[in-house]
Amino acid sequence: HVTDTKSRRGARKGSTSSSSSSSSSAAPDPLSSMLDGTDPLSMFAAASAGETKRREREEEAVGSDFEPWSAKRGEILARFTTTEKLSIGSQRELLNLSQQDYANRIEELNQSLKEAWASDQKVKALKIVIQCSKLLSDTSVIQFYPSKFVLITDILDTFGRLVYERIWTMCSDPRPLPESFSADDVNDTAKETCLNWFFKIASIRELIPRLYVEAAILKCNRFLNKSGIQETLPRLTAMIRGIGDPLVAAYARAYLCRVGMEVAPHLKDSLNRNFFDLLGTFRQIQGDSVQNQLVLQRVEIPEYLTLYSPAINWILQCIAYRAPEPLLTEMMERCKKLGNNALLLNSVMWAFRAEFVAARATDFITMIKDCDEAGFPKHLLFGSLGRSLACADPPEAERLPILNEAWKVITKVRSPQDYINCAEIWVEFTCRHFTKREVNTVLADIIKHMTPDRAFEDAYPQLQSVIRKILTYFHDFSVLFSMERFLPFLDMFQKDSVRVEVCRSIMEVFIKHQLEPTRDPVILNAMLHICKTMHDSVNALTLEDEKRSLALLINGFIRMVSFGRDFEQQLSFCVEARATFCNLEPVLVQLIHTVNQLAMETRRVMRGSHSRKTAAFVRACAAYSFITIPSLSSIFCRLSLYLLSGQVALANQCLSQADAFLKAAVSLLPEVPRSISVEGKLRPSEGFLLDFISNFLSTLLVVPDHPEHGVLYLVRGLLNMVQDYTWEDNGDAKLRVYINALPLLAAMSQEAYLYCIPRVDSNETLYGGDPKFLSEINKLCETLIGQVLDHLKALGRDESVRRQAALAFSLFGCLLAHGDLRNNKLNQLAVNLWNLSHKHGHCDTRASVRTLEFMKHQAQQPDMAHLSDTVQRLALQSRT
């Protein structure tokens, strides 16, 4: 059994150079040999020779635009496989090997070669190479021959490199040989060693190993004479004519062209000669020898012909590299004279520059139509043509006829795998040059071919490639989703992992290219369907990174949905999205943010009109958030969203809703765990909790008291929760909350608050400086300060003087910033706190110095003169 899986060719190789196809060696100037070096004409001739040499060096170097053999190696090994048993030699342990065992054995021989060489066992190394080369005459498992060629020639390449490096090293004493050396630079010992290798190889009796091993060390001719390579290539080319099996001969020619391109790419004559000899062997395919072999191995002619493709493709790629247009045209004409040999035509389309093929696409189609279907399937020929047309454009007037001719053949292909391999290639041409109408027709045809017997299950890579190509050319999603067959095409992706991957690719393109918000129902319905597919793939085994990745894509879609001023429609969309994406928390968080923004935008746009309707809508937004937040598992996410939603409700004068959000946040505080997971690691939660409470306290300044709940009920509720919370044993977090609450209480006692919310009456308006209200504030301040002072005493008893100093200095700073130090009692407390913070030398000296400078500066203000006396009482104490 042979598996011939479709493999995609890399980028087209070969630039548009007009270099000659013949040898680049320049004819000598007849005058130069007759004149001495002092004559001006002789100098000119020398300059011309230098220019010729420069051109030769440029031609000898193969550029990056030539696809190397190494790029094709893996492709061939993956494409030509077998389940038949294979053998290496006659030893029992080397018989009946699986393909993988065979490859492993060949690799072991490669290692043995290197080890033998390293231990100076040159004869053993040569025997290994000869043994391996002999395997290339064996076609008993013919389907595997191209892969065998790859494996064996790896060993030949290793041998050739080892011999060359050995001789090079012999020439490097006393100084290294330059890259551009000539035979004159090589010492006699190195030359003798080189000749010995060639003599040993010449004594190999069998043709195939003798040919391959000499080809492997072709480069070593440089050590002997300047024209060695140029003379050897034609001789080796002629030797190949003695190989009777046309497949074996084709690959021998491919190897000779391979080493030829490495050492002398400018010697085009040898390449061309190999190609023309190859053409002459095609008639052998119909001979009894080949036909009997195919019958014996149960291999059909079309399958057999594909075995030639890597060899012919390579030979043609070498010939076409930087070849002028006339040579390529001549090659095309030779195809015609051979009766449009389909195998050769296929290789021509693979190897020639895409621009050359595209410009003559109509001619190629005519040649394809004239080919014999039985020998080489036409859909493979159209596949090769399609690859060229994906890289270069044919004349505009020919594009539609080309597509029609190609699709007439493609749609008749019966095998679903053969069909999709070809159709997938032509999708790019269709997308590149035509509209959604033609692309939709192609999609419909693919669905028609791939749906029966669930053939699509074996073609997911090709179907994914179709989607990628469509997304490359169609960035307008209203056009994309208006293709009737696009979503049905997606339905063929039944395997969950593939389905999600396809949806992800669509979402990535949408987020990248959908620059304007949309309300297009076609887009919204399709994207909801795609996002739901991604969401529904989430289960208990889904990794957090995967969930995060999917949520980012879905959130990108949600952010691009806008119904303009139709706010109710926008809220309805968010309600539907909440039900659809309930398993991805980041999406729910995004929806809550979206609804809060919607509430703020509604108030801004509708200000002064339809106030009752606007208020009802804002309350609906608040209800949405209030219902959604409890479903989130992250407690700090819930806390921050309760606070945010409360702030939004407050900004929209929805006081009862704001009250409910803030009370919910306070009620949630006791549930905060001592540690939380941050990026997969457990972290103490105190820092996050302190940040949240500080933010919460700053909001409470503008929140009016509820008439039924007493003075400062939210502040008291928060502080009670703080009092009852189980804090870290060796920490001062609770006392820091108390200190942070003091600035809020100080701000609440002002006649005019620091900030307010328009059209919301804060406590400054409700109480109007009522003495009872101020008295409550003072009592609460005294309680909090008392709690801090008691804690400071306890720290002193426990000898936690460093914590004591930090906390005392913190409270001092709070009194300095927010207290009235004209009050003697408060002033004395501040001085005592300063002294306590400096008592044991654990204070931050820089902070202390800056604080004193600040106080001196403030004391210069008209109503702050009392600070001068306070400063006099504060002393800096250095560490002891």
Side-chain angles (χ1 to χ4, degrees), residues 278-324:
L278 175 69
L279 298 186
T281 65
F282 283 156
R283 62 179 177 272
Q284 291 178 254
I285 294 172
Q286 302 303 325
D288 291 343
S289 175
V290 171
Q291 292 297 318
N292 291 339
Q293 187 181 27
L294 297 185
V295 170
L296 188 65
Q297 297 195 39
R298 294 193 294 271
V299 174
E300 299 293 331
I301 276 285
E303 183 183 342
Y304 173 70
L305 290 177
T306 61
L307 302 177
Y308 284 84
S309 295
I312 301 176
N313 291 354
W314 177 258
I315 294 169
L316 279 170
Q317 179 185 320
C318 296
I319 291 172
Y321 180 63
R322 294 181 178 172

Side-chain angles (χ1 to χ4, degrees), residues 679-692:
E679 295 180 354
K681 295 181 180 179
L682 282 180
R683 298 273 189 265
S685 64
E686 273 191 4
F688 297 97
L689 186 54
L690 287 174
D691 287 345
F692 170 76

